């Protein structure tokens, strides 16, 4: 590790202690995500880290969101967990045509946390450390105005940005219809530059070939050019969830 990173990590740990908390349980790799998200500023990273600690303690007190808390969202079977990409990133996919704006916004937020936590946990193999990042695919094919949920989209991205720093490797948007372009422009205003840079709108054959190449045919479902089947989130068996 470079000296500058070591120094920044040491300063971050001290800053967290000064703010009345501790980093003893956390490895350098976890803390580095907060530093990178805050442009290597230890004090800003420390504040973000403590906000994350408080959020986890209140919103995810058991360490994970159980399926019993999000039954309405799971029933749609709109999200799929496909395994690890060629580079070792866990891949999850959402079919937006199966999503409808939730009447229970709290349950939807819990559902987002469940998806992210389970995806991250899926990269763990025994005692090995899982990959820090993940790949998301959102399929917009055959959506109608009934599926449009700008509030849900924004809440999901805000959760990702505030509490899962540097977790997103790439997000692919597939089959975007024309009427969704204006919706996406509105949603994009709520996204940080670092997040926007990781989003790829797949709109031609070359971009589709790159998607297959980056994720791998063994992981990508056959309807997207791969050689496997979709695996619903609740059907994916994983090691015990952990941060």
């Amino acid at each position: 590790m470079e000296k500058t990173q070591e120094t920044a990590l040491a300063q971050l740990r001290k800053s967290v202690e000064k703010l009345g908390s501790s980093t003893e349980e956390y490895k350098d790799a976890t803390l580095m995500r907060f530093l990178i998200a805050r442009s290597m500023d230890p004090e800003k990273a420390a504040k973000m880290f403590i906000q994350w600690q408080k959020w986890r303690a209140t919103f995810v007190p058991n360490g994970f969101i159980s399926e019993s808390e999000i039954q309405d969202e799971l029933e749609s079977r709109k999200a799929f967990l496909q395994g690890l990409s060629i580079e070792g990133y866990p891949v999850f996919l959402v079919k937006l045509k199966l999503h409808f704006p939730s009447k229970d916004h709290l349950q939807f937020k819990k559902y987002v946390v469940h998806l992210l936590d389970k995806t991250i946990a899926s990269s763990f193999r025994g005692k090995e450390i899982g990959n820090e990042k993940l790949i998301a695919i959102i399929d917009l094919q055959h959506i109608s105005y009934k599926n449009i949920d700008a509030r849900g989209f924004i809440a999901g991205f805000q959760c990702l940005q505030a509490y899962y720093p540097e977790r997103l490797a790439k997000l692919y948007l597939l089959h975007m219809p024309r009427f969704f372009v204006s919706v996406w422009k509105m949603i994009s205003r709520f996204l940080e530059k670092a997040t926007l840079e990781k989003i790829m709108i797949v709109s031609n054959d070359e971009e589709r070939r790159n998607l297959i190449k980056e994720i791998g045919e063994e992981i990508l479902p056959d309807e997207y050019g791969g050689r496997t089947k979709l695996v619903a989130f609740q059907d994916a068996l994983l090691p015990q969830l952990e941060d």
Side-chain angles (χ1 to χ4, degrees), residues 13-154:
R13 290 184 185 277
K14 285 182 181 178
S15 295
V16 170
E17 286 179 16
K18 285 180 182 178
L19 292 170
S21 191
S22 172
T23 60
E24 282 186 16
E25 300 175 33
Y26 304 95
K27 296 178 181 178
D28 287 349
T30 297
L31 300 179
M32 272 304 300
R33 291 192 287 106
F34 290 88
L35 278 167
I36 294 168
R38 289 297 176 262
S39 303
M40 299 304 289
D41 184 318
E43 290 188 6
K44 288 182 180 178
K47 289 177 183 177
M48 185 185 191
F49 176 78
I50 286 176
Q51 287 172 347
W52 169 76
Q53 280 187 315
K54 290 177 179 176
W55 171 76
R56 289 294 298 189
T58 55
F59 200 80
V60 200
N62 298 321
F64 64 95
I65 302 293
S66 67
E67 291 188 358
S68 62
E69 298 176 69
I70 52 171
Q71 281 300 318
D72 292 343
E73 294 292 336
L74 287 173
E75 277 178 12
S76 64
R77 296 180 79 84
K78 60 194 169 191
F80 308 87
L81 190 55
Q82 294 302 122
L84 304 183
S85 73
I86 288 174
E87 291 187 50
Y89 299 134
V91 178
F92 81 86
L93 186 149
V94 176
K95 282 182 172 284
L96 206 65
K97 69 177 183 180
L98 300 176
H99 171 77
F100 299 93
S102 177
K103 294 178 182 177
D104 185 347
H105 199 54
L106 177 60
Q107 183 178 160
F108 177 75
K109 287 182 176 180
K110 287 185 176 184
Y111 178 66
V112 170
V113 171
H114 176 81
L115 295 187
L116 292 171
D117 282 357
K118 192 167 182 178
T119 300
I120 292 164
S122 73
S123 68
F124 285 80
R125 292 293 178 267
K127 294 182 179 180
E128 292 181 26
I129 297 175
N131 202 301
E132 289 289 302
K133 296 181 183 289
L134 58 88
I135 291 176
I137 301 172
I138 298 178
D139 183 0
L140 302 163
Q141 192 168 38
H142 302 315
I143 64 169
S144 69
Y145 286 102
K146 291 181 180 179
N147 306 116
I148 301 301
D149 185 11
R151 183 189 184 194
F153 251 106
I154 292 166

Side-chain angles (χ1 to χ4, degrees), residues 133 166 168-171 193-200:
K133 296 181 183 289
E166 292 300 304
L168 184 65
K170 195 165 282 188
L171 186 151
K193 183 183 176 184
T195 302
L196 284 169
E197 288 173 349
K198 296 169 183 174
I199 297 173
M200 169 70 71

Side-chain angles (χ1 to χ4, degrees), residues 182-199:
S182 58
V183 178
W184 179 246
K185 284 181 179 177
M186 186 270 287
I187 292 168
S188 297
R189 293 203 292 268
F190 291 86
L191 307 188
E192 296 171 2
K193 183 183 176 184
T195 302
L196 284 169
E197 288 173 349
K198 296 169 183 174
I199 297 173

